[in-house]
PDB file of all heavy atoms in Angstrom:
ATOM      1  N   MET A  20      16.889  20.520 -16.316  1.00  0.00           N
ATOM      2  CA  MET A  20      16.255  21.428 -15.269  1.00  0.00           C
ATOM      3  C   MET A  20      17.120  21.491 -13.912  1.00  0.00           C
ATOM      4  O   MET A  20      17.560  20.394 -13.515  1.00  0.00           O
ATOM      5  CB  MET A  20      14.883  20.966 -14.980  1.00  0.00           C
ATOM      6  CG  MET A  20      14.075  22.141 -14.175  1.00  0.00           C
ATOM      7  SD  MET A  20      12.361  21.478 -13.895  1.00  0.00           S
ATOM      8  CE  MET A  20      11.725  22.969 -13.127  1.00  0.00           C
ATOM      9  N   TYR A  21      17.169  22.586 -13.438  1.00  0.00           N
ATOM     10  CA  TYR A  21      17.931  22.732 -12.195  1.00  0.00           C
ATOM     11  C   TYR A  21      17.087  23.166 -11.047  1.00  0.00           C
ATOM     12  O   TYR A  21      16.239  23.967 -11.254  1.00  0.00           O
ATOM     13  CB  TYR A  21      19.175  23.740 -12.346  1.00  0.00           C
ATOM     14  CG  TYR A  21      20.186  23.134 -13.183  1.00  0.00           C
ATOM     15  CD1 TYR A  21      20.227  23.312 -14.631  1.00  0.00           C
ATOM     16  CD2 TYR A  21      21.246  22.467 -12.666  1.00  0.00           C
ATOM     17  CE1 TYR A  21      21.239  22.802 -15.421  1.00  0.00           C
ATOM     18  CE2 TYR A  21      22.305  21.873 -13.431  1.00  0.00           C
ATOM     19  CZ  TYR A  21      22.198  22.087 -14.833  1.00  0.00           C
ATOM     20  OH  TYR A  21      23.270  21.515 -15.598  1.00  0.00           O
ATOM     21  N   ARG A  22      17.440  22.754  -9.891  1.00  0.00           N
ATOM     22  CA  ARG A  22      16.828  23.214  -8.722  1.00  0.00           C
ATOM     23  C   ARG A  22      17.686  23.765  -7.653  1.00  0.00           C
ATOM     24  O   ARG A  22      18.882  23.316  -7.612  1.00  0.00           O
ATOM     25  CB  ARG A  22      15.966  22.086  -8.050  1.00  0.00           C
ATOM     26  CG  ARG A  22      14.649  21.751  -8.715  1.00  0.00           C
ATOM     27  CD  ARG A  22      13.998  20.649  -8.009  1.00  0.00           C
ATOM     28  NE  ARG A  22      12.725  20.362  -8.641  1.00  0.00           N
ATOM     29  CZ  ARG A  22      11.584  20.880  -8.390  1.00  0.00           C
ATOM     30  NH1 ARG A  22      11.439  21.828  -7.451  1.00  0.00           N
ATOM     31  NH2 ARG A  22      10.437  20.556  -8.961  1.00  0.00           N
ATOM     32  N   CYS A  23      17.168  24.645  -6.972  1.00  0.00           N
ATOM     33  CA  CYS A  23      18.136  25.381  -5.914  1.00  0.00           C
ATOM     34  C   CYS A  23      18.408  24.250  -4.851  1.00  0.00           C
ATOM     35  O   CYS A  23      17.611  23.574  -4.435  1.00  0.00           O
ATOM     36  CB  CYS A  23      17.341  26.627  -5.368  1.00  0.00           C
ATOM     37  SG  CYS A  23      18.219  27.255  -3.955  1.00  0.00           S
ATOM     38  N   ALA A  24      19.707  24.366  -4.398  1.00  0.00           N
ATOM     39  CA  ALA A  24      20.156  23.367  -3.423  1.00  0.00           C
ATOM     40  C   ALA A  24      19.503  23.709  -2.145  1.00  0.00           C
ATOM     41  O   ALA A  24      19.448  22.919  -1.120  1.00  0.00           O
ATOM     42  CB  ALA A  24      21.594  23.305  -3.448  1.00  0.00           C
ATOM     43  N   ARG A  25      19.138  24.955  -1.910  1.00  0.00           N
ATOM     44  CA  ARG A  25      18.784  25.327  -0.590  1.00  0.00           C
ATOM     45  C   ARG A  25      17.206  25.328  -0.410  1.00  0.00           C
ATOM     46  O   ARG A  25      16.717  24.684   0.482  1.00  0.00           O
ATOM     47  CB  ARG A  25      19.211  26.729  -0.307  1.00  0.00           C
ATOM     48  CG  ARG A  25      19.123  27.221   1.104  1.00  0.00           C
ATOM     49  CD  ARG A  25      19.450  28.613   1.364  1.00  0.00           C
ATOM     50  NE  ARG A  25      20.971  28.885   1.208  1.00  0.00           N
ATOM     51  CZ  ARG A  25      21.482  30.058   1.023  1.00  0.00           C
ATOM     52  NH1 ARG A  25      20.615  31.175   1.100  1.00  0.00           N
ATOM     53  NH2 ARG A  25      22.670  30.244   0.918  1.00  0.00           N
ATOM     54  N   CYS A  26      16.468  25.929  -1.329  1.00  0.00           N
ATOM     55  CA  CYS A  26      15.177  26.068  -1.084  1.00  0.00           C
ATOM     56  C   CYS A  26      14.309  25.240  -1.989  1.00  0.00           C
ATOM     57  O   CYS A  26      13.062  25.289  -2.186  1.00  0.00           O
ATOM     58  CB  CYS A  26      14.623  27.520  -1.132  1.00  0.00           C
ATOM     59  SG  CYS A  26      14.812  28.296  -2.856  1.00  0.00           S
ATOM     60  N   LYS A  27      15.024  24.482  -2.926  1.00  0.00           N
ATOM     61  CA  LYS A  27      14.399  23.557  -3.961  1.00  0.00           C
ATOM     62  C   LYS A  27      13.517  24.309  -4.950  1.00  0.00           C
ATOM     63  O   LYS A  27      12.617  23.754  -5.541  1.00  0.00           O
ATOM     64  CB  LYS A  27      13.440  22.576  -3.218  1.00  0.00           C
ATOM     65  CG  LYS A  27      14.235  21.846  -2.124  1.00  0.00           C
ATOM     66  CD  LYS A  27      15.326  20.903  -2.653  1.00  0.00           C
ATOM     67  CE  LYS A  27      15.881  20.014  -1.623  1.00  0.00           C
ATOM     68  NZ  LYS A  27      16.728  20.733  -0.569  1.00  0.00           N
ATOM     69  N   GLU A  28      13.822  25.554  -5.079  1.00  0.00           N
ATOM     70  CA  GLU A  28      13.089  26.326  -6.121  1.00  0.00           C
ATOM     71  C   GLU A  28      13.664  26.048  -7.388  1.00  0.00           C
ATOM     72  O   GLU A  28      14.822  26.170  -7.697  1.00  0.00           O
ATOM     73  CB  GLU A  28      13.181  27.789  -5.833  1.00  0.00           C
ATOM     74  CG  GLU A  28      12.483  28.775  -6.794  1.00  0.00           C
ATOM     75  CD  GLU A  28      10.995  28.756  -6.388  1.00  0.00           C
ATOM     76  OE1 GLU A  28      10.494  28.154  -5.354  1.00  0.00           O
ATOM     77  OE2 GLU A  28      10.208  29.440  -7.019  1.00  0.00           O
ATOM     78  N   PRO A  29      12.772  25.663  -8.424  1.00  0.00           N
ATOM     79  CA  PRO A  29      13.219  25.410  -9.775  1.00  0.00           C
ATOM     80  C   PRO A  29      13.857  26.622 -10.454  1.00  0.00           C
ATOM     81  O   PRO A  29      13.306  27.726 -10.438  1.00  0.00           O
ATOM     82  CB  PRO A  29      11.963  24.900 -10.517  1.00  0.00           C
ATOM     83  CG  PRO A  29      10.825  25.328  -9.713  1.00  0.00           C
ATOM     84  CD  PRO A  29      11.318  25.493  -8.314  1.00  0.00           C
ATOM     85  N   LEU A  30      15.024  26.434 -11.037  1.00  0.00           N
ATOM     86  CA  LEU A  30      15.652  27.555 -11.783  1.00  0.00           C
ATOM     87  C   LEU A  30      15.116  27.743 -13.099  1.00  0.00           C
ATOM     88  O   LEU A  30      14.903  26.769 -13.856  1.00  0.00           O
ATOM     89  CB  LEU A  30      17.215  27.228 -11.881  1.00  0.00           C
ATOM     90  CG  LEU A  30      17.995  28.316 -12.514  1.00  0.00           C
ATOM     91  CD1 LEU A  30      18.120  29.594 -11.656  1.00  0.00           C
ATOM     92  CD2 LEU A  30      19.377  27.792 -12.881  1.00  0.00           C
ATOM     93  N   LYS A  31      14.815  28.918 -13.503  1.00  0.00           N
ATOM     94  CA  LYS A  31      14.366  29.234 -14.791  1.00  0.00           C
ATOM     95  C   LYS A  31      15.366  28.887 -15.881  1.00  0.00           C
ATOM     96  O   LYS A  31      16.481  29.244 -15.720  1.00  0.00           O
ATOM     97  CB  LYS A  31      13.813  30.635 -14.940  1.00  0.00           C
ATOM     98  CG  LYS A  31      12.566  30.899 -14.087  1.00  0.00           C
ATOM     99  CD  LYS A  31      12.108  32.328 -14.286  1.00  0.00           C
ATOM    100  CE  LYS A  31      10.915  32.601 -13.475  1.00  0.00           C
ATOM    101  NZ  LYS A  31      10.365  33.989 -13.581  1.00  0.00           N
ATOM    102  N   PRO A  32      14.907  28.275 -16.912  1.00  0.00           N
ATOM    103  CA  PRO A  32      15.872  27.909 -18.000  1.00  0.00           C
ATOM    104  C   PRO A  32      16.443  29.053 -18.734  1.00  0.00           C
ATOM    105  O   PRO A  32      17.623  28.963 -19.227  1.00  0.00           O
ATOM    106  CB  PRO A  32      14.995  27.164 -19.064  1.00  0.00           C
ATOM    107  CG  PRO A  32      13.713  26.954 -18.433  1.00  0.00           C
ATOM    108  CD  PRO A  32      13.539  27.838 -17.248  1.00  0.00           C
ATOM    109  N   ASP A  33      15.842  30.232 -18.639  1.00  0.00           N
ATOM    110  CA  ASP A  33      16.327  31.491 -19.291  1.00  0.00           C
ATOM    111  C   ASP A  33      17.200  32.278 -18.456  1.00  0.00           C
ATOM    112  O   ASP A  33      17.586  33.401 -18.674  1.00  0.00           O
ATOM    113  CB  ASP A  33      15.203  32.253 -19.942  1.00  0.00           C
ATOM    114  CG  ASP A  33      14.206  32.647 -18.812  1.00  0.00           C
ATOM    115  OD1 ASP A  33      14.017  31.924 -17.845  1.00  0.00           O
ATOM    116  OD2 ASP A  33      13.574  33.732 -18.929  1.00  0.00           O
ATOM    117  N   SER A  34      17.429  31.695 -17.224  1.00  0.00           N
ATOM    118  CA  SER A  34      18.108  32.562 -16.229  1.00  0.00           C
ATOM    119  C   SER A  34      19.618  32.565 -16.655  1.00  0.00           C
ATOM    120  O   SER A  34      20.245  31.522 -16.890  1.00  0.00           O
ATOM    121  CB  SER A  34      17.974  31.920 -14.802  1.00  0.00           C
ATOM    122  OG  SER A  34      18.766  32.573 -13.915  1.00  0.00           O
ATOM    123  N   ILE A  35      20.199  33.735 -16.666  1.00  0.00           N
ATOM    124  CA  ILE A  35      21.565  33.847 -17.080  1.00  0.00           C
ATOM    125  C   ILE A  35      22.508  33.837 -15.926  1.00  0.00           C
ATOM    126  O   ILE A  35      23.686  33.411 -15.895  1.00  0.00           O
ATOM    127  CB  ILE A  35      21.780  35.098 -17.932  1.00  0.00           C
ATOM    128  CG1 ILE A  35      20.554  35.368 -18.775  1.00  0.00           C
ATOM    129  CG2 ILE A  35      23.134  35.093 -18.698  1.00  0.00           C
ATOM    130  CD1 ILE A  35      20.452  36.709 -19.395  1.00  0.00           C
ATOM    131  N   THR A  36      21.959  34.322 -14.885  1.00  0.00           N
ATOM    132  CA  THR A  36      22.889  34.691 -13.724  1.00  0.00           C
ATOM    133  C   THR A  36      23.114  33.325 -12.858  1.00  0.00           C
ATOM    134  O   THR A  36      24.055  33.275 -12.043  1.00  0.00           O
ATOM    135  CB  THR A  36      22.319  35.682 -12.695  1.00  0.00           C
ATOM    136  OG1 THR A  36      20.877  35.267 -12.433  1.00  0.00           O
ATOM    137  CG2 THR A  36      22.153  37.063 -13.368  1.00  0.00           C
ATOM    138  N   LEU A  37      22.328  32.330 -13.051  1.00  0.00           N
ATOM    139  CA  LEU A  37      22.519  31.097 -12.268  1.00  0.00           C
ATOM    140  C   LEU A  37      22.448  31.425 -10.801  1.00  0.00           C
ATOM    141  O   LEU A  37      23.338  31.086  -9.983  1.00  0.00           O
ATOM    142  CB  LEU A  37      23.839  30.414 -12.642  1.00  0.00           C
ATOM    143  CG  LEU A  37      23.756  29.373 -13.769  1.00  0.00           C
ATOM    144  CD1 LEU A  37      25.126  28.761 -14.072  1.00  0.00           C
ATOM    145  CD2 LEU A  37      22.725  28.308 -13.489  1.00  0.00           C
ATOM    146  N   GLN A  38      21.381  32.115 -10.426  1.00  0.00           N
ATOM    147  CA  GLN A  38      21.107  32.506  -9.030  1.00  0.00           C
ATOM    148  C   GLN A  38      19.711  32.287  -8.695  1.00  0.00           C
ATOM    149  O   GLN A  38      18.832  32.703  -9.524  1.00  0.00           O
ATOM    150  CB  GLN A  38      21.695  33.895  -8.869  1.00  0.00           C
ATOM    151  CG  GLN A  38      21.761  34.259  -7.299  1.00  0.00           C
ATOM    152  CD  GLN A  38      22.361  35.561  -7.083  1.00  0.00           C
ATOM    153  OE1 GLN A  38      22.662  36.287  -8.061  1.00  0.00           O
ATOM    154  NE2 GLN A  38      22.545  35.963  -5.811  1.00  0.00           N
ATOM    155  N   CYS A  39      19.419  31.774  -7.568  1.00  0.00           N
ATOM    156  CA  CYS A  39      18.022  31.479  -7.220  1.00  0.00           C
ATOM    157  C   CYS A  39      17.344  32.846  -6.982  1.00  0.00           C
ATOM    158  O   CYS A  39      17.892  33.740  -6.338  1.00  0.00           O
ATOM    159  CB  CYS A  39      18.044  30.665  -5.964  1.00  0.00           C
ATOM    160  SG  CYS A  39      16.322  30.351  -5.349  1.00  0.00           S
ATOM    161  N   GLU A  40      16.134  32.947  -7.594  1.00  0.00           N
ATOM    162  CA  GLU A  40      15.425  34.165  -7.374  1.00  0.00           C
ATOM    163  C   GLU A  40      14.877  34.364  -5.966  1.00  0.00           C
ATOM    164  O   GLU A  40      14.556  35.377  -5.553  1.00  0.00           O
ATOM    165  CB  GLU A  40      14.227  34.238  -8.407  1.00  0.00           C
ATOM    166  CG  GLU A  40      14.713  34.420  -9.821  1.00  0.00           C
ATOM    167  CD  GLU A  40      13.541  34.531 -10.779  1.00  0.00           C
ATOM    168  OE1 GLU A  40      12.401  34.105 -10.352  1.00  0.00           O
ATOM    169  OE2 GLU A  40      13.672  35.037 -11.878  1.00  0.00           O
ATOM    170  N   LYS A  41      14.708  33.216  -5.362  1.00  0.00           N
ATOM    171  CA  LYS A  41      14.060  33.305  -4.089  1.00  0.00           C
ATOM    172  C   LYS A  41      15.000  33.537  -2.929  1.00  0.00           C
ATOM    173  O   LYS A  41      14.731  34.370  -2.186  1.00  0.00           O
ATOM    174  CB  LYS A  41      13.367  31.859  -3.834  1.00  0.00           C
ATOM    175  CG  LYS A  41      12.073  31.923  -2.993  1.00  0.00           C
ATOM    176  CD  LYS A  41      11.405  30.549  -3.010  1.00  0.00           C
ATOM    177  CE  LYS A  41      10.068  30.711  -2.243  1.00  0.00           C
ATOM    178  NZ  LYS A  41       9.465  29.339  -2.144  1.00  0.00           N
ATOM    179  N   CYS A  42      16.157  32.751  -2.877  1.00  0.00           N
ATOM    180  CA  CYS A  42      16.950  32.940  -1.804  1.00  0.00           C
ATOM    181  C   CYS A  42      18.369  33.481  -2.118  1.00  0.00           C
ATOM    182  O   CYS A  42      19.238  33.735  -1.320  1.00  0.00           O
ATOM    183  CB  CYS A  42      17.106  31.597  -0.927  1.00  0.00           C
ATOM    184  SG  CYS A  42      18.016  30.354  -1.927  1.00  0.00           S
ATOM    185  N   GLY A  43      18.647  33.546  -3.423  1.00  0.00           N
ATOM    186  CA  GLY A  43      19.897  34.090  -3.961  1.00  0.00           C
ATOM    187  C   GLY A  43      20.989  32.971  -3.883  1.00  0.00           C
ATOM    188  O   GLY A  43      22.149  33.360  -4.026  1.00  0.00           O
ATOM    189  N   CYS A  44      20.627  31.740  -3.584  1.00  0.00           N
ATOM    190  CA  CYS A  44      21.612  30.700  -3.557  1.00  0.00           C
ATOM    191  C   CYS A  44      22.158  30.422  -4.979  1.00  0.00           C
ATOM    192  O   CYS A  44      21.457  30.454  -5.910  1.00  0.00           O
ATOM    193  CB  CYS A  44      20.926  29.429  -2.895  1.00  0.00           C
ATOM    194  SG  CYS A  44      22.132  28.114  -2.752  1.00  0.00           S
ATOM    195  N   ARG A  45      23.459  30.105  -5.035  1.00  0.00           N
ATOM    196  CA  ARG A  45      24.147  29.799  -6.327  1.00  0.00           C
ATOM    197  C   ARG A  45      24.478  28.378  -6.459  1.00  0.00           C
ATOM    198  O   ARG A  45      25.285  28.043  -7.351  1.00  0.00           O
ATOM    199  CB  ARG A  45      25.339  30.692  -6.549  1.00  0.00           C
ATOM    200  CG  ARG A  45      24.917  32.194  -6.694  1.00  0.00           C
ATOM    201  CD  ARG A  45      26.060  32.949  -7.133  1.00  0.00           C
ATOM    202  NE  ARG A  45      25.653  34.444  -7.294  1.00  0.00           N
ATOM    203  CZ  ARG A  45      26.559  35.341  -7.703  1.00  0.00           C
ATOM    204  NH1 ARG A  45      27.810  35.049  -7.878  1.00  0.00           N
ATOM    205  NH2 ARG A  45      26.142  36.519  -7.880  1.00  0.00           N
ATOM    206  N   MET A  46      23.949  27.529  -5.543  1.00  0.00           N
ATOM    207  CA  MET A  46      24.144  26.139  -5.710  1.00  0.00           C
ATOM    208  C   MET A  46      22.966  25.429  -6.259  1.00  0.00           C
ATOM    209  O   MET A  46      21.809  25.692  -5.759  1.00  0.00           O
ATOM    210  CB  MET A  46      24.568  25.554  -4.354  1.00  0.00           C
ATOM    211  CG  MET A  46      26.045  25.767  -4.113  1.00  0.00           C
ATOM    212  SD  MET A  46      26.594  25.010  -2.535  1.00  0.00           S
ATOM    213  CE  MET A  46      26.295  23.361  -2.711  1.00  0.00           C
ATOM    214  N   PHE A  47      23.124  24.638  -7.378  1.00  0.00           N
ATOM    215  CA  PHE A  47      22.048  23.905  -7.941  1.00  0.00           C
ATOM    216  C   PHE A  47      22.335  22.491  -8.141  1.00  0.00           C
ATOM    217  O   PHE A  47      23.428  22.131  -8.267  1.00  0.00           O
ATOM    218  CB  PHE A  47      21.567  24.602  -9.103  1.00  0.00           C
ATOM    219  CG  PHE A  47      21.190  26.014  -9.041  1.00  0.00           C
ATOM    220  CD1 PHE A  47      22.065  27.061  -9.155  1.00  0.00           C
ATOM    221  CD2 PHE A  47      19.843  26.346  -8.711  1.00  0.00           C
ATOM    222  CE1 PHE A  47      21.719  28.368  -8.968  1.00  0.00           C
ATOM    223  CE2 PHE A  47      19.476  27.609  -8.568  1.00  0.00           C
ATOM    224  CZ  PHE A  47      20.432  28.637  -8.734  1.00  0.00           C
ATOM    225  N   TYR A  48      21.278  21.722  -8.263  1.00  0.00           N
ATOM    226  CA  TYR A  48      21.525  20.272  -8.650  1.00  0.00           C
ATOM    227  C   TYR A  48      20.505  20.041  -9.764  1.00  0.00           C
ATOM    228  O   TYR A  48      19.447  20.515  -9.891  1.00  0.00           O
ATOM    229  CB  TYR A  48      21.290  19.348  -7.445  1.00  0.00           C
ATOM    230  CG  TYR A  48      19.964  19.312  -6.820  1.00  0.00           C
ATOM    231  CD1 TYR A  48      18.987  18.421  -7.445  1.00  0.00           C
ATOM    232  CD2 TYR A  48      19.503  20.127  -5.784  1.00  0.00           C
ATOM    233  CE1 TYR A  48      17.700  18.424  -6.903  1.00  0.00           C
ATOM    234  CE2 TYR A  48      18.316  20.002  -5.295  1.00  0.00           C
ATOM    235  CZ  TYR A  48      17.360  19.241  -5.824  1.00  0.00           C
ATOM    236  OH  TYR A  48      16.162  19.124  -5.231  1.00  0.00           O
ATOM    237  N   LYS A  49      20.969  19.055 -10.595  1.00  0.00           N
ATOM    238  CA  LYS A  49      20.136  18.712 -11.761  1.00  0.00           C
ATOM    239  C   LYS A  49      18.928  17.875 -11.255  1.00  0.00           C
ATOM    240  O   LYS A  49      19.006  17.023 -10.487  1.00  0.00           O
ATOM    241  CB  LYS A  49      21.016  17.782 -12.671  1.00  0.00           C
ATOM    242  CG  LYS A  49      21.330  18.538 -13.917  1.00  0.00           C
ATOM    243  CD  LYS A  49      21.996  17.680 -14.870  1.00  0.00           C
ATOM    244  CE  LYS A  49      22.563  18.492 -16.097  1.00  0.00           C
ATOM    245  NZ  LYS A  49      23.446  17.641 -16.996  1.00  0.00           N
ATOM    246  N   ASP A  50      17.779  18.329 -11.881  1.00  0.00           N
ATOM    247  CA  ASP A  50      16.547  17.701 -11.512  1.00  0.00           C
ATOM    248  C   ASP A  50      16.010  17.008 -12.662  1.00  0.00           C
ATOM    249  O   ASP A  50      15.602  17.577 -13.675  1.00  0.00           O
ATOM    250  CB  ASP A  50      15.580  18.749 -10.996  1.00  0.00           C
ATOM    251  CG  ASP A  50      14.302  18.101 -10.510  1.00  0.00           C
ATOM    252  OD1 ASP A  50      14.282  17.067  -9.892  1.00  0.00           O
ATOM    253  OD2 ASP A  50      13.200  18.678 -10.715  1.00  0.00           O
ATOM    254  N   ARG A  51      16.018  15.621 -12.551  1.00  0.00           N
ATOM    255  CA  ARG A  51      15.437  14.896 -13.679  1.00  0.00           C
ATOM    256  C   ARG A  51      14.059  14.379 -13.359  1.00  0.00           C
ATOM    257  O   ARG A  51      13.783  13.814 -12.390  1.00  0.00           O
ATOM    258  CB  ARG A  51      16.392  13.673 -13.927  1.00  0.00           C
ATOM    259  CG  ARG A  51      17.726  13.992 -14.583  1.00  0.00           C
ATOM    260  CD  ARG A  51      18.446  12.708 -14.782  1.00  0.00           C
ATOM    261  NE  ARG A  51      19.842  13.014 -15.264  1.00  0.00           N
ATOM    262  CZ  ARG A  51      20.714  12.151 -15.538  1.00  0.00           C
ATOM    263  NH1 ARG A  51      20.452  10.895 -15.531  1.00  0.00           N
ATOM    264  NH2 ARG A  51      21.945  12.475 -16.048  1.00  0.00           N
ATOM    265  N   PRO A  52      13.033  14.826 -14.291  1.00  0.00           N
ATOM    266  CA  PRO A  52      11.687  14.528 -13.944  1.00  0.00           C
ATOM    267  C   PRO A  52      11.320  13.083 -13.927  1.00  0.00           C
ATOM    268  O   PRO A  52      10.486  12.561 -13.191  1.00  0.00           O
ATOM    269  CB  PRO A  52      10.913  15.260 -15.131  1.00  0.00           C
ATOM    270  CG  PRO A  52      11.840  15.544 -16.123  1.00  0.00           C
ATOM    271  CD  PRO A  52      13.357  15.584 -15.438  1.00  0.00           C
ATOM    272  N   ASN A  53      12.017  12.270 -14.784  1.00  0.00           N
ATOM    273  CA  ASN A  53      11.591  10.887 -14.872  1.00  0.00           C
ATOM    274  C   ASN A  53      12.424  10.009 -13.870  1.00  0.00           C
ATOM    275  O   ASN A  53      11.884   8.951 -13.521  1.00  0.00           O
ATOM    276  CB  ASN A  53      11.920  10.295 -16.291  1.00  0.00           C
ATOM    277  CG  ASN A  53      10.987  11.115 -17.305  1.00  0.00           C
ATOM    278  OD1 ASN A  53       9.864  11.459 -16.905  1.00  0.00           O
ATOM    279  ND2 ASN A  53      11.494  11.291 -18.443  1.00  0.00           N
ATOM    280  N   VAL A  54      13.700  10.361 -13.592  1.00  0.00           N
ATOM    281  CA  VAL A  54      14.488   9.464 -12.845  1.00  0.00           C
ATOM    282  C   VAL A  54      14.646  10.080 -11.458  1.00  0.00           C
ATOM    283  O   VAL A  54      15.097  11.281 -11.223  1.00  0.00           O
ATOM    284  CB  VAL A  54      15.922   9.387 -13.443  1.00  0.00           C
ATOM    285  CG1 VAL A  54      16.777   8.481 -12.659  1.00  0.00           C
ATOM    286  CG2 VAL A  54      15.802   8.922 -14.856  1.00  0.00           C
ATOM    287  N   LYS A  55      14.158   9.249 -10.528  1.00  0.00           N
ATOM    288  CA  LYS A  55      14.308   9.769  -9.141  1.00  0.00           C
ATOM    289  C   LYS A  55      15.234   8.867  -8.474  1.00  0.00           C
ATOM    290  O   LYS A  55      15.019   7.621  -8.128  1.00  0.00           O
ATOM    291  CB  LYS A  55      12.948   9.584  -8.452  1.00  0.00           C
ATOM    292  CG  LYS A  55      12.722  10.768  -7.443  1.00  0.00           C
ATOM    293  CD  LYS A  55      11.270  10.824  -6.961  1.00  0.00           C
ATOM    294  CE  LYS A  55      11.033  12.053  -6.080  1.00  0.00           C
ATOM    295  NZ  LYS A  55       9.709  12.029  -5.567  1.00  0.00           N
ATOM    296  N   LYS A  56      16.541   9.364  -8.297  1.00  0.00           N
ATOM    297  CA  LYS A  56      17.510   8.538  -7.730  1.00  0.00           C
ATOM    298  C   LYS A  56      17.964   9.053  -6.389  1.00  0.00           C
ATOM    299  O   LYS A  56      18.267  10.223  -6.192  1.00  0.00           O
ATOM    300  CB  LYS A  56      18.702   8.556  -8.731  1.00  0.00           C
ATOM    301  CG  LYS A  56      19.664   7.471  -8.550  1.00  0.00           C
ATOM    302  CD  LYS A  56      20.758   7.492  -9.544  1.00  0.00           C
ATOM    303  CE  LYS A  56      21.660   6.348  -9.463  1.00  0.00           C
ATOM    304  NZ  LYS A  56      22.765   6.351 -10.462  1.00  0.00           N
ATOM    305  N   VAL A  57      17.990   8.226  -5.464  1.00  0.00           N
ATOM    306  CA  VAL A  57      18.344   8.525  -4.128  1.00  0.00           C
ATOM    307  C   VAL A  57      19.654   7.852  -3.837  1.00  0.00           C
ATOM    308  O   VAL A  57      19.852   6.700  -3.889  1.00  0.00           O
ATOM    309  CB  VAL A  57      17.201   8.124  -3.007  1.00  0.00           C
ATOM    310  CG1 VAL A  57      17.750   8.512  -1.681  1.00  0.00           C
ATOM    311  CG2 VAL A  57      15.926   8.610  -3.358  1.00  0.00           C
ATOM    312  N   ILE A  58      20.534   8.700  -3.526  1.00  0.00           N
ATOM    313  CA  ILE A  58      21.986   8.186  -3.239  1.00  0.00           C
ATOM    314  C   ILE A  58      22.084   8.047  -1.734  1.00  0.00           C
ATOM    315  O   ILE A  58      21.937   8.925  -0.933  1.00  0.00           O
ATOM    316  CB  ILE A  58      23.027   9.056  -3.690  1.00  0.00           C
ATOM    317  CG1 ILE A  58      22.783   9.199  -5.353  1.00  0.00           C
ATOM    318  CG2 ILE A  58      24.396   8.495  -3.434  1.00  0.00           C
ATOM    319  CD1 ILE A  58      23.751  10.133  -5.907  1.00  0.00           C
ATOM    320  N   LYS A  59      22.321   6.824  -1.423  1.00  0.00           N
ATOM    321  CA  LYS A  59      22.462   6.457   0.150  1.00  0.00           C
ATOM    322  C   LYS A  59      23.835   6.079   0.449  1.00  0.00           C
ATOM    323  O   LYS A  59      24.410   5.017  -0.119  1.00  0.00           O
ATOM    324  CB  LYS A  59      21.414   5.503   0.550  1.00  0.00           C
ATOM    325  CG  LYS A  59      21.073   5.557   1.936  1.00  0.00           C
ATOM    326  CD  LYS A  59      19.908   4.623   2.221  1.00  0.00           C
ATOM    327  CE  LYS A  59      19.319   4.751   3.632  1.00  0.00           C
ATOM    328  NZ  LYS A  59      18.343   3.844   3.955  1.00  0.00           N
ATOM    329  N   ALA A  60      24.483   6.757   1.359  1.00  0.00           N
ATOM    330  CA  ALA A  60      25.779   6.302   1.826  1.00  0.00           C
ATOM    331  C   ALA A  60      25.744   5.138   2.737  1.00  0.00           C
ATOM    332  O   ALA A  60      25.016   5.109   3.715  1.00  0.00           O
ATOM    333  CB  ALA A  60      26.488   7.412   2.364  1.00  0.00           C
ATOM    334  N   ARG A  61      26.552   4.143   2.478  1.00  0.00           N
ATOM    335  CA  ARG A  61      26.532   2.953   3.249  1.00  0.00           C
ATOM    336  C   ARG A  61      27.627   3.106   4.372  1.00  0.00           C
ATOM    337  O   ARG A  61      28.779   3.288   4.071  1.00  0.00           O
ATOM    338  CB  ARG A  61      26.885   1.673   2.446  1.00  0.00           C
ATOM    339  CG  ARG A  61      25.745   1.400   1.478  1.00  0.00           C
ATOM    340  CD  ARG A  61      26.034   0.109   0.837  1.00  0.00           C
ATOM    341  NE  ARG A  61      25.177  -0.087  -0.352  1.00  0.00           N
ATOM    342  CZ  ARG A  61      25.166  -1.299  -1.061  1.00  0.00           C
ATOM    343  NH1 ARG A  61      25.888  -2.274  -0.735  1.00  0.00           N
ATOM    344  NH2 ARG A  61      24.433  -1.322  -2.105  1.00  0.00           N
TER     345      ARG A  61
HETATM  346 ZN1   ZN B   8      16.823  29.185  -3.530  1.00  0.00          ZN
END
C-alpha cells in the first residue's frame, strides 16, 4: 500500500496513473500496516 507523500492520502491499489486523487502529488511512500518504522537521523 502506498500513501501520498504530501497529504498522506492512501493510494488506491487499482490506480494506474500513480497520482494522488486529492492533491495530484506523484510522490508516494510505502505504507506497511504492521511495521511502523521511524527513521531518525543522528
Ligand atoms: Zn496527496
Side-chain angles (χ1 to χ4, degrees):
M20 191 177 182
Y21 287 92
R22 277 182 184 274
C23 174
R25 194 187 289 169
C26 68
K27 309 291 188 293
E28 183 79 2
L30 181 73
K31 288 182 179 177
D33 59 329
S34 178
I35 320 163
T36 51
L37 273 176
Q38 192 172 5
C39 178
E40 289 185 341
K41 213 172 182 182
C42 68
C44 181
R45 289 188 178 181
M46 276 181 63
F47 298 93
Y48 64 87
K49 251 184 186 175
D50 185 37
R51 292 184 183 179
N53 295 328
V54 183
K55 216 171 190 182
K56 200 174 184 183
V57 180
I58 302 173
K59 205 173 186 181
R61 296 189 195 182

